[in-house]
Amino acid sequence: MSEHASTTVPDTDEQHTTDTATSESGTEIESENERTSERQSVVTTGAESVVAALRNVGVEDLFGVQGGAIMPVYDALYSTGSDLNHVTMAHEQGAAHAADAYGQVTGTPGVCMATSGPGATNLATGIADADMDSDPVIALTGQVPTNLVGNDAFQETDTVGVTRPITKANYFAGDSDTVGDVVGEAFMLAREGRPGPTLVDLPKDVTLGDTDTDPDTASLPEYHEITEEPDEKAVREAARVLADAEKPLILSGGGVIKGDASEALRRFAREYQIPVVTTMPGIGSFPEDHELSMEWAGMHGTGYANMAISHCDCLFAIGTRFDDRLTGGIETFAPDAEVIHADIDPAEISKNVHAEYPLIGDAARVIEQMHTEMACTPDANEWREQCVTWKEEYPMTYATPDDEPLKPQFVVEAMDEITPDDAIVTTGVGQHQMWAAQYWSFTEPNTWISSHGLGTMGYGLPAALGAKVAAPDREVVCFDGDGSFLMTVEELSVAVRENLDITVIVLNNEAIGMVRQWQDAFFGQRRMASEYPWIPDFAKLAEAFGAKGFTLRDYDDTADTLQAARAYDGPSVVDAYVDPAENVYPMVSSGGNNAQFALSEDQL
Amino acid sequence: MSQGLSGPRPEAREMPDGQRSKHGIRIDPQTGARHEPERTVISALVKHEPGVLSKVSGLVSRRQFNIESLTVGPTTNPESARITLVIEEPDPGVRQVKRQLKKLMPVISVRELGDDAIRRELVVLKVHGDEPDKVHAITQMYDGLTLDAGPRTITVEITGDEQKINDAIDAFQQFGIRELARTGQTALARGEEWTTHAEEERYERACTEPSSNDTEPNTDTK
């Protein structure tokens, strides 16, 4: 690992001219005290201004790692921010993922901090992840003093340049007097409209520099266009098309959850009896145990969801960007459907799938307006029956003979049975992620926290930490794979130190399982670099960190072991040895036709 | 293995009839859905700050838009600059460029210019100086300017629309062009039409409140 603490102390030689002491009113009547208190500023340095700006926007928790260039901000937190809870993470990537999950659970941007150079580049993966999933995050990075910027100074990276394509907006803060306002603006932008990550790069001389300018109330840039209201005429037309449809289908994306529109969606679908499929980020927006739910569609989505998508004649898609993992080949995606696409971001309209009826606006508003404009319930009895038939034809099940090794799906289901509905599930990326998404029955929004667009292995554990800090009263379960867990396992030390009561279940198949599955299917079983026979004993590893470790190998022990892990007050890790031969099905091959999902290897 | 899963095999399932094009547009079997690339001029009003050109060009390169030219320069407001972007893309691509540009934070306003827009480009080219009279004649034909005439090279400047520049370059070929530099197109909407809405709004604001200073908040990115 790189050295994060710089020994260089930058010169802070700017002698700010002291207050000119000319009061604005200039009246002699004011007492000396009043005048002093009027001029008294809350902040004295740029760093204090940064902290004041965070406090202004209601930040309570921060995730970060110390370092040379960010030290002034930490120092300001030390002196003035005892009410801000800083969680020191083991690695900056962990800080970014924790902030990401925190932002999703609370709905307000999670804050992560890192120093310049390696600190900032280590954040980049987490920032890119948040960008792909439109999660509200604000990253504060230290930077070398402005007089050294561009000179390849110690621990210097062009952070603004590096993060330009993976942030919604980023800033190089160049002035101690305005740095607080920049942080405020970055915060507002992260949450406004389509959420996303923003970054403020903070040169050390700017944060150390004197200022008596308190940050203003956080605001958006003047010219920034606020989300449009959905166009009434367009909504009316879309509602007519949906009401007339014989095979209507709702596709609920992550935007429904981010836009707090799950309730509106549920009312709408129930009233007009329209079946609902979700995208993977949209999991939880509609209860999966409801009869209208077809669960989620896409590469490893349910067979019935993919059949419904392929055969519908009107698709009401809300808050989705039609990712290729969802659509498969565009040519064969919902080929008979007229598409009504509601999205808060106009750039998403017709980007991947052409929308005959675009509705730009906030998800909850669009759904409400559609609700008002629907003339009748679509005449779609036959279609609903067909959907039920597909559910019966392609059920989500797996084989569990006792003599076989433990099936990962069984572990997921067993945990689901004993946890409350509002438990938060986080995952890494790989086969375990798919099994968690497939076999956990999600009924509430914001209970499924995963890395979708970027597919970041190692996301699960730090995300679980962030989720637990955001919602200490809710149960947090992290499903991880052995490969994924190893990538950020160091964050277990943080969970122990902060005594975060999370349960990690490692579905251990001694492989980068998803890669191995693809190698078996598409590369003639040439398992190059995908098998991990050298993984550690995760139960012992957990104990070494100070967490509670469990090992699980048998069906008979499953319920007891999972219950014991839950019951432990603090972080616990269940190392579940699962059948290494088990693969994820159904599966639509990459760029394939959704209706041609394979149910086993011989169908690929 | 997963013996619980059942239902018809992929090839035995009933398949829908329709199909979409690569742009996601449903293909009407009678007409098809084809989109030919067109040359389009897009004008963007942006904040005049470091990094804005990099943001715009990064967006264009990352999304693989087929860019013909990109010019940038300040406007009457010292805080904003105009970027003129010429792209050759089918319809859906043009819409994407506009929408994605609009999402960039320092971009204030974006507009696609119509065919009647005023477009100009400048070329500076250096030819061999063996036949100065003839070079001068061609320069005059294209309303150009001679910038430098030496014993061995002559450098001229031609301004005009893209076609005129292309023709002029063709005409100068006969003397042997040593090197040339083209600026790429810059453009404004014709007549009373405003090139971008932001400027129109600002102009009207300035007219109604003549005393107010016409500056935007500084977001501290210098």
Side-chain angles (χ1 to χ4, degrees):
Chain A
M1 265 311 305
S2 31
E3 184 201 347
H4 285 200
S6 160
T7 47
T8 353
V9 176
D11 20 358
T12 52
D13 54 350
E14 346 152 17
Q15 295 286 313
H16 274 251
T17 45
T18 42
D19 201 320
T20 50
T22 46
S23 100
E24 268 181 37
S25 63
T27 46
E28 298 288 331
I29 309 153
E30 288 174 299
S31 76
E32 192 65 30
N33 277 347
E34 274 169 351
R35 281 159 65 186
T36 316
S37 69
E38 243 182 44
R39 284 200 309 273
Q40 196 82 52
S41 165
V42 177
V43 304
T44 59
T45 63
E48 287 190 359
S49 183
V50 169
V51 175
L54 293 175
R55 198 179 281 122
N56 282 353
V57 290
V59 168
E60 291 174 7
D61 303 284
L62 318 150
F63 303 88
V65 179
Q66 257 283 24
I70 195 73
M71 274 164 67
V73 181
Y74 274 89
D75 192 58
L77 280 171
Y78 185 90
S79 57
T80 62
S82 54
D83 54 334
L84 293 181
N85 170 39
H86 178 270
V87 182
T88 302
M89 302 296 286
H91 188 286
E92 290 87 353
Q93 184 188 348
H97 292 327
D100 178 329
Y102 183 94
Q104 289 181 69
V105 173
T106 59
T108 61
V111 186
C112 56
M113 295 166 66
T115 195
S116 63
T121 54
N122 280 345
L123 280 185
T125 301
I127 294 171
D129 189 289
D131 189 50
M132 288 288 269
D133 289 346
S134 309
D135 297 332
V137 169
I138 167 165
L140 304 175
T141 50
Q143 184 54 277
V144 301
T146 44
N147 65 331
L148 294 178
V149 166
N151 290 347
D152 299 331
F154 176 67
Q155 292 195 325
E156 185 193 357
T157 296
D158 173 11
T159 305
V160 167
V162 166
T163 58
R164 188 165 286 149
I166 53 171
T167 47
K168 190 173 167 186
N170 64 11
Y171 303 83
F172 180 82
D175 187 343
S176 307
D177 289 338
T178 54
V179 63
D181 292 338
V182 175
V183 170
E185 183 177 305
F187 191 93
M188 296 304 281
L189 274 173
R191 71 198 292 186
E192 199 279 323
R194 179 181 184 169
T198 59
L199 180 143
V200 185
D201 204 25
L202 303 163
K204 196 166 181 177
D205 57 330
V206 170
T207 47
L208 280 174
D210 295 338
T211 181
D212 56 4
T213 314
D214 294 322
D216 262 332
T217 314
S219 62
L220 294 165
E222 196 185 64
Y223 58 85
H224 185 75
E225 284 174 26
I226 304 294
T227 313
E228 298 169 35
E229 278 283 300
D231 180 68
E232 262 180 52
K233 212 176 124 208
V235 171
R236 203 170 307 134
E237 211 181 332
R240 181 185 53 77
V241 172
L242 187 61
D244 283 351
E246 287 170 15
K247 302 172 181 177
L249 186 67
I250 293 171
L251 174 64
S252 172
V256 172
I257 293 174
K258 293 195 164 60
D260 227 352
S262 303
E263 259 320 300
L265 173 88
R266 289 164 189 223
R267 276 199 305 274
F268 184 83
R270 284 175 188 145
E271 176 153 353
Y272 297 107
Q273 288 293 300
I274 302 172
V276 180
V277 300
T278 73
T279 67
M280 207 163 130
I283 286 176
S285 58
F286 194 76
E288 291 185 336
D289 54 3
H290 192 277
E291 57 183 2
L292 286 169
S293 170
M294 306 294 280
E295 300 178 49
W296 55 284
M299 181 174 277
H300 291 296
T302 64
Y304 34 96
N306 281 320
M307 289 302 277
I309 285 241
S310 296
H311 289 266
C312 66
D313 66 356
C314 180
L315 185 67
F316 179 22
I318 313 157
T320 173
R321 63 193 167 88
F322 292 108
D323 180 270
D324 58 280
R325 280 289 191 275
L326 166 76
T327 60
I330 289 290
E331 294 84 354
T332 51
F333 179 75
D336 289 338
E338 293 199 280
V339 173
I340 303 167
H341 187 186
D343 207 289
I344 200 162
D345 179 359
E348 284 308 331
I349 302 295
S350 299
K351 186 179 83 180
N352 295 331
V353 172
H354 179 75
E356 279 84 6
Y357 303 93
L359 304 175
I360 297 163
D362 171 71
R365 282 288 296 140
V366 170
I367 296 169
E368 273 168 32
Q369 275 183 255
M370 283 287 282
H371 207 143
T372 318
E373 295 293 344
M374 288 286 283
C376 60
T377 300
D379 182 13
N381 280 336
E382 214 174 303
W383 168 243
R384 280 186 291 271
E385 278 165 28
Q386 175 64 72
C387 287
V388 172
T389 310
W390 281 324
K391 279 190 184 181
E392 286 161 2
E393 269 182 321
Y394 306 107
M396 289 300 291
T397 52
Y398 53 94
T400 56
D402 288 342
D403 55 350
E404 273 195 280
L406 191 60
K407 294 289 183 189
Q409 300 95 325
F410 180 82
V411 179
V412 173
E413 284 187 327
M415 191 66 176
D416 185 19
E417 264 172 40
I418 57 176
T419 40
D421 279 352
D422 72 344
I424 297 170
V425 175
T426 74
T427 73
V429 166
Q431 286 182 318
H432 68 276
Q433 177 190 26
M434 296 303 142
W435 287 318
Q438 287 176 336
Y439 288 93
W440 191 281
S441 182
F442 291 92
T443 54
E444 297 302 324
N446 288 317
T447 53
W448 166 247
I449 308 282
S450 191
S451 169
H452 303 108
L454 198 65
T456 310
M457 286 178 69
Y459 178 87
L461 178 58
L465 269 59
K468 190 68 188 179
V469 172
D473 297 335
R474 284 167 67 182
E475 183 161 349
V476 175
V477 179
C478 168
F479 284 102
D480 226 330
D482 44 299
S484 197
F485 186 53
L486 272 180
M487 289 197 176
T488 51
V489 68
E490 70 278 0
E491 302 303 345
L492 208 45
S493 63
V494 180
V496 171
R497 192 194 61 230
E498 301 282 329
N499 195 30
L500 298 174
D501 187 9
I502 58 170
T503 311
V504 182
I505 300 168
V506 183
L507 299 177
N508 182 352
N509 56 7
E510 301 187 6
I512 300 272
M514 194 59 96
V515 170
R516 194 192 54 198
Q517 177 171 344
W518 281 49
Q519 285 172 332
D520 285 357
F522 309 116
F523 290 86
Q525 293 183 305
R526 292 149 59 87
R527 296 180 172 183
M528 177 65 190
S530 62
E531 291 177 303
Y532 279 24
W534 40 264
I535 47 150
D537 179 331
F538 288 122
K540 278 189 184 164
L541 187 66
E543 298 283 341
F545 275 112
K548 184 82 179 157
F550 297 88
T551 303
L552 173 61
R553 291 178 188 275
D554 297 316
Y555 284 101
D556 293 343
D557 302 334
T558 306
D560 287 347
T561 309
L562 295 179
Q563 196 58 267
R566 285 185 66 214
Y568 179 72
D569 182 21
S572 56
V573 175
V574 179
D575 186 5
Y577 285 84
V578 297
D579 186 356
E582 189 68 13
N583 279 335
V584 183
Y585 289 101
M587 177 178 186
V588 178
S589 59
S590 189
N593 179 339
N594 278 352
Q596 296 193 316
F597 53 88
L599 297 167
S600 63
E601 204 170 310
D602 68 324
Q603 293 188 353
L604 278 170
Chain B
M1 190 169 36
S2 306
Q3 64 212 33
L5 298 172
S6 57
R9 294 176 60 87
E11 62 276 9
R13 291 172 207 152
E14 194 193 328
M15 288 292 154
D17 308 325
Q19 213 195 334
R20 290 180 185 274
S21 71
K22 68 180 167 116
H23 298 299
I25 299 168
R26 281 206 295 156
I27 294 174
D28 178 348
Q30 306 223 298
T31 58
R34 304 236 310 273
H35 288 266
E36 297 301 335
E38 272 180 44
R39 189 165 275 228
T40 310
V41 180
I42 291 171
S43 185
L45 194 70
V46 302
K47 294 199 79 187
H48 197 190
E49 62 182 32
V52 61
L53 192 58
S54 152
K55 279 181 184 157
V56 170
S57 59
L59 174 110
V60 170
S61 66
R62 184 190 150 210
R63 296 193 180 264
Q64 305 276 303
F65 295 130
N66 198 3
I67 188 165
E68 296 294 317
S69 87
L70 186 154
T71 61
V72 58
T75 65
T76 50
N77 183 334
E79 292 192 354
S80 53
R82 179 186 308 288
I83 290 179
T84 309
L85 193 71
V86 182
I87 54 166
E88 190 149 344
E89 279 284 329
D91 239 13
V94 175
R95 276 199 300 273
Q96 264 298 300
V97 174
K98 285 193 289 181
R99 287 169 179 166
Q100 295 291 345
L101 269 178
K102 219 168 182 177
K103 275 174 71 173
L104 290 180
M105 223 36 85
V107 173
I108 300 165
S109 188
V110 179
R111 178 87 190 281
E112 181 183 338
L113 294 180
D115 289 340
D116 65 337
I118 296 167
R119 311 171 190 193
R120 281 295 176 273
E121 183 174 0
L122 181 142
V123 65
V124 176
L125 53 83
K126 193 185 287 177
V127 296
H128 292 288
D130 307 330
E131 299 168 289
D133 293 353
K134 281 191 184 172
V135 171
H136 184 63
I138 300 281
T139 307
Q140 282 200 319
M141 276 184 219
Y142 282 98
D143 295 326
L145 263 182
T146 304
L147 301 175
D148 174 55
R152 275 180 287 280
T153 63
I154 298 169
T155 307
V156 301
E157 167 199 318
I158 312 285
T159 313
D161 62 22
E162 197 183 12
Q163 189 56 47
K164 179 179 163 189
I165 302 289
N166 287 342
D167 291 349
I169 292 171
D170 271 354
F172 281 104
Q173 274 320 347
Q174 56 181 306
F175 311 114
I177 299 175
R178 283 169 62 113
E179 43 186 4
L180 68 77
R182 289 176 79 151
T183 59
Q185 288 188 50
T186 189
L188 281 184
R190 186 175 287 276
E192 285 184 43
E193 192 187 341
W194 284 88
T195 304
T196 62
H197 299 309
E199 282 164 305
E200 180 177 3
E201 281 164 24
R202 188 156 56 199
Y203 184 82
E204 278 169 7
R205 224 176 27 234
C207 288
T208 50
E209 316 158 31
S211 59
S212 76
N213 63 343
D214 185 27
T215 52
E216 279 161 26
N218 182 10
T219 31
D220 187 63
T221 33
K222 296 281 179 237

